[in-house]
């Protein structure tokens, strides 16, 4: 007999409640999103976390069904509980629903932070505007020779508005670039001697270095981080100071925090090793990595977000090579990664009110 997912979730919740009664907040949320991996996700202004689509995880192993679910999570609410996050289901035009039932796709933030662009397999590129809660479609769709949507990560250079998509032309060392005025074209290729792989990597803009940081591209080098400077039009190995170098993984998540002065890297696996629960933080001004926590919950292909001092992980699975993948807990992981007196009020306000949610959630 199969236990329905919602029942499992309730059981987990009840089991976990014993340890967390003191943390309960009275907020109720709508029906939460179904557990998925390989969804598209992004965070806008550290205010709203969006997740879309993904492969449903209904038990050991990943199902072959994609979902078109689309949810936001309000990160500005002063208190919410990880057992009952304020998820908000969002809708889109009926014409988009069949196309938006997809996985392995990605989102890039609009240059003015008004929303995001969603880069899907099947070449479809859709834009979402938060203010008007409306979708549009980029036409013409980029040619398949320049854009294959699966298992790549698009990211925006906020200084130019251009979106970069490593590996998008299908060949491992290609990189495509999208301009809203001229469409998709090829960008500077990734040097094959430097970056070997073209999928399941992490790719984020560094506001401080004015470069993109790329992780998960080359298992053979001791330093698995690479950097692309759009202004120099050049790929290089990313410098690392200090003795900690996060080892190569794929299917991790990497997000920027603290006005770009920190970069957080969590989870992932390799083809021969299981999912990890390690969280590393890069201090960007000094380029020193620190391993912060070993007691999160191992997973891969999850969605991650940051708001102030809080790092949020949702969805994904645990991978054990040779065995069925195990679903990750449907409860978001929340890790308060630093207690700081940073000058940024916007983040501190939230940090102070929700730091109590720190903890291991399994
Ligand atoms: C899910 O979406 C991906 C990407 O579009 C596609 O390759 C895959 O075939 C889809 N799976 C199903 C069952 O439709
Ligand atoms: C964020 O960083 C930029 C430079 O990267 C700086 O000009 C700005 O003042 C910083 N903002 C805050 C709130 O620290």
């Amino acid at each position: 007999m199969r236990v329905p997912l919602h029942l499992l979730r309730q059981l987990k919740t009840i089991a976990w409640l014993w340890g967390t009664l003191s943390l309960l907040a009275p907020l109720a949320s709508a029906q939460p999103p179904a557990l998925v991996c390989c969804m598209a996700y992004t965070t806008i202004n550290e205010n709203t976390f969006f997740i879309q689509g993904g492969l449903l995880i209904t038990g050991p192993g990943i199902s072959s069904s994609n979902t078109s679910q689309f949810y936001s999570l309000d990160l500005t609410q002063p208190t919410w509980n990880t057992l009952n996050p304020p998820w908000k289901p969002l809708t889109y035009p009926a014409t988009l629903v069949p196309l938006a039932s997809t996985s392995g796709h990605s989102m890039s933030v609009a240059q003015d932070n008004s929303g995001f662009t969603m880069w899907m397999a099947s070449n479809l590129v859709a834009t979402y505007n938060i203010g008007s809660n409306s979708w549009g479609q980029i036409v013409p769709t980029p040619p398949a020779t320049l854009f294959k949507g699966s298992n790549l990560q698009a990211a925006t250079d906020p200084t130019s508005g251009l979106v970069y998509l490593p590996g998008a032309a299908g060949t491992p060392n290609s990189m495509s670039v999208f301009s809203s005025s001229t469409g998709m074209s090829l960008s500077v290729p990734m040097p094959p001697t430097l970056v070997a792989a073209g999928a399941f990597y992490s790719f984020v803009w560094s506001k401080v270095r004015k470069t993109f940081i790329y992780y998960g591209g080359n298992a053979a080098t001791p330093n698995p981080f690479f950097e692309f400077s759009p202004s120099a039009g050049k790929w290089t190995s990313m410098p690392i100071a200090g003795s900690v170098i996060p080892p190569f993984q794929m299917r991790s998540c990497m997000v920027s925090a603290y006005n770009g002065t920190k970069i957080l890297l969590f989870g992932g696996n390799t083809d021969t090793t299981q999912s990890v629960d390690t969280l590393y933080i890069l201090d960007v001004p000094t380029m020193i990595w620190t391993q912060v926590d070993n007691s999160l919950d191992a997973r891969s292909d999850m969605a991650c977000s940051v708001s102030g001092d809080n790092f949020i992980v949702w969805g994904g699975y645990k991978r054990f090579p040779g065995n069925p993948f195990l679903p990750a807990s449907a409860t978001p992981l929340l890790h308060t990664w630093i207690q700081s007196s940073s000058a940024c009020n916007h983040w501190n306000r939230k940090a102070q009110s929700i730091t109590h949610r720190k903890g291991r959630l399994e």
Side-chain angles (χ1 to χ4, degrees), residues 291-343:
Q291 185 175 340
V292 180
D293 197 286
N294 244 342
S295 60
L296 287 163
D297 183 31
R299 57 184 77 192
S300 299
D301 270 333
M302 57 275 153
C304 300
S305 179
V306 161
S307 185
D309 292 346
N310 295 285
F311 174 59
I312 299 151
V313 178
W314 183 76
Y317 55 83
K318 293 178 205 190
R319 184 176 193 271
F320 302 91
N323 291 299
F325 296 2
L326 294 180
S329 164
T331 304
L333 292 174
L334 195 121
H335 176 75
T336 303
W337 50 279
I338 198 166
Q339 307 285 327
S340 105
S341 53
S342 149

Side-chain angles (χ1 to χ4, degrees), residues 127-200:
T127 55
Y128 178 68
N129 183 280
I130 300 172
S132 59
N133 184 28
S134 62
W135 284 89
Q137 193 182 330
I138 286 178
V139 282
T141 55
T145 50
L146 294 175
F147 174 57
K148 298 184 174 159
S150 283
N151 308 321
L152 55 86
Q153 176 63 55
T156 308
D157 172 354
T159 67
S160 66
L162 297 177
V163 178
Y164 289 83
L165 304 102
T171 51
N173 299 102
S174 66
M175 179 163 65
S176 299
V177 58
F178 179 81
S179 146
S180 54
S181 50
T182 57
M184 188 77 90
S185 57
L186 280 177
S187 178
V188 178
M190 309 168 72
T193 48
L194 205 61
V195 188
F200 307 113

Side-chain angles (χ1 to χ4, degrees), residues 207-208 210 259 343-344 347:
K207 185 175 176 181
V208 172
K210 299 197 168 43
N259 196 23
C344 186
W347 301 327

